[in-house]
Amino acid sequence: MSKQDRITPRTLKGFRDYPPELALPRERIIETARHVYRSFGYAPIDTPALEYLEILTGKGSEETDKQLYRFTDHGSREVGMRFDLTVPLARFAAQYAQQLGLPFKRYHIASVWRGENPQKGRYREFMQADFDTVGSTGVASDIETVVVLHTLLRACGFERFAIRINHRGVLDGVLDKAGLAGRSAPVLRALDKLAKIGPEKVAEDLKQTAEASATQIDAVLQFASLTGENATLLAEIQRLVAGNATGEAGLERLRETLTGVAASQIDPGGEAAVRIDPAIARGLDYYTGLVLETLLTDLPGIGSVASGGRYDNLAGLYTSQSLPGIGASLGVDRLLAAMEELGQTGAARTPADVLIVYFAEDRLADYLRLSATLRAQGIATELYPEPKKLAKQLQYADKRGFRVALIAGPDELARDECQLKHLATSEAISTPLADVVTTVRRLLDSI
RNA sequence: GUGGCUGUAGCUCAGCUGGUUAGAGCGCCGGAUUGUGAUUCCGGAGGUCGGGGGUUCGAGACCCCUCAGCCACCCCA
């Protein structure tokens, strides 16, 4: 093939490749999410990447409709690629409601697609790790959602983050009292931008998109600009929603949620990580109760890495059965981008801990036996594939991020021993072959 | 989708108002060191200047188109 005919290897805008040093921490996030979700009793499901177009359109917001990847398949069906995992859950729950039984708790870790312009932490193909409880309206599920997110972020190695929570009922109450009840969608959308663009621009926005009066704008901004400790906020909000049933109910729910979170003892240091934020509204139309977003303290600009909320009737478009639920979604690839930016991805390019040096060509059987012994005890072990010179193999071990090199040349083998070299400190110790597993394990534990 | 900035070696970047054979640091390969990597010394390889077209005696630089990244709008994970 001539040079001109050759196809340039490249990836589509907004789509990315994951080399080992990225795929390794990415898989770690996925495994952590899976582990945390399962520990709370959520069961895995999976659904197709492609759905009938009618399943997907008109569900998230008009924006998601615009971003939908859609096409006609080979059988002339109008189809679309899922843009989140919540809509497929709604379809799934409606379709199998009879067999599933309620409440139904599921997690779903999979890729979704949105045709929007990419930025850092914002891709056209990205993975979400969702967990939801369908069929329960109790506050316990609200509490659990916050607790799961907190546990998950901690398990991913984050200490500095804030789960910001709010309640749509409170928002509705405030809007109702201000006489803006019918215009909640544009108002909430404007509110959502408060932290980013400031009160003046939000006011302008409210005036234009929601045709709000000066008094109305004032009422909304006064609410959204509230800051302080959760207890203070609860009291302030109480004042603002007083006399409005929806608002008071929402506030009470928010209070119960915070009390429950405290009882869950996820945050022994206090309430710092879970905070009421009156400006959190969420653009998605289907939320009706608790709404939440998670921001990383050291990288707020990348946006929410995990968010969600309560929806009272997600499956209403597919079934007459009422299927309320609550859940949240971890943005796996956004969190990964944040970790990259913060230098938290690590440098390892191998999942194995031990590299066995292929030292003497005629001792391959010994090396294979040693490899098998270590692996049988759960120690990930790679045997170098060729009897190249020692320096080469050690260099390889170092570059890939192995922690221990096992060296067994003719001298060591003659004494039924091997050498274990700790790559980071360059310390080497000798150990009898019979003890190799315990010694390696001790070495790895000490690192 | 709209607008702005950017795109030079594997990586980070330099390259003055267009002027000979496009540079640096790091990395990579080889050797000093045929049983010990990451340090030191010596040598070496590596560039369609994102891609295509145009202006010009001459383009990495200027113009147009295109692809990609980043940022903003919008929206969100």
Side-chain angles (χ1 to χ4, degrees), chain A residues 10-28:
Chain A
R10 56 188 186 148
T11 47
L12 245 19
K13 180 196 191 80
F15 290 72
R16 53 192 319 224
D17 288 322
Y18 297 88
E21 59 271 29
L22 238 40
L24 248 15
R26 187 174 189 248
E27 286 196 1
R28 233 167 7 239

Side-chain angles (χ1 to χ4, degrees), chain A residues 4 51 59 63 98 117 138 145 153 161 173 200 213 225 228 314 320 334 372 380 400 432 438:
Chain A
Q4 290 86 347
E51 297 272 3
K59 303 309 185 298
E63 192 63 25
Q98 304 313 312
N117 263 354
T145 300
L153 267 292
F161 62 89
E200 295 82 9
S213 70
S225 311
L314 187 61
S320 58
R334 178 167 290 180
R400 294 295 157 112
T438 43

Side-chain angles (χ1 to χ4, degrees), chain A residues 323-404:
Chain A
L323 291 173
I326 181 166
S329 176
L330 174 76
V332 172
D333 289 303
R334 178 167 290 180
L335 190 68
L336 179 67
M339 289 171 73
E340 265 184 279
E341 192 80 2
L342 295 169
Q344 291 178 14
T345 50
R349 286 191 282 167
T350 173
D353 291 314
V354 178
L355 180 78
I356 295 188
V357 172
Y358 189 170
F359 198 116
E361 188 160 15
D362 59 349
R363 304 308 290 263
L364 179 59
D366 291 293
Y367 304 139
L368 290 168
R369 206 161 18 243
L370 270 168
S371 311
T373 303
L374 288 169
R375 283 188 207 113
Q377 297 306 311
I379 298 168
T381 303
E382 175 174 337
L383 171 59
Y384 197 82
E386 287 172 66
K388 284 199 178 151
K389 64 181 193 182
L390 182 55
K392 263 271 172 328
Q393 298 192 43
L394 287 175
Q395 202 174 57
Y396 171 85
D398 187 46
K399 294 256 166 63
R400 294 295 157 112
F402 285 91
R403 293 152 78 197
V404 170

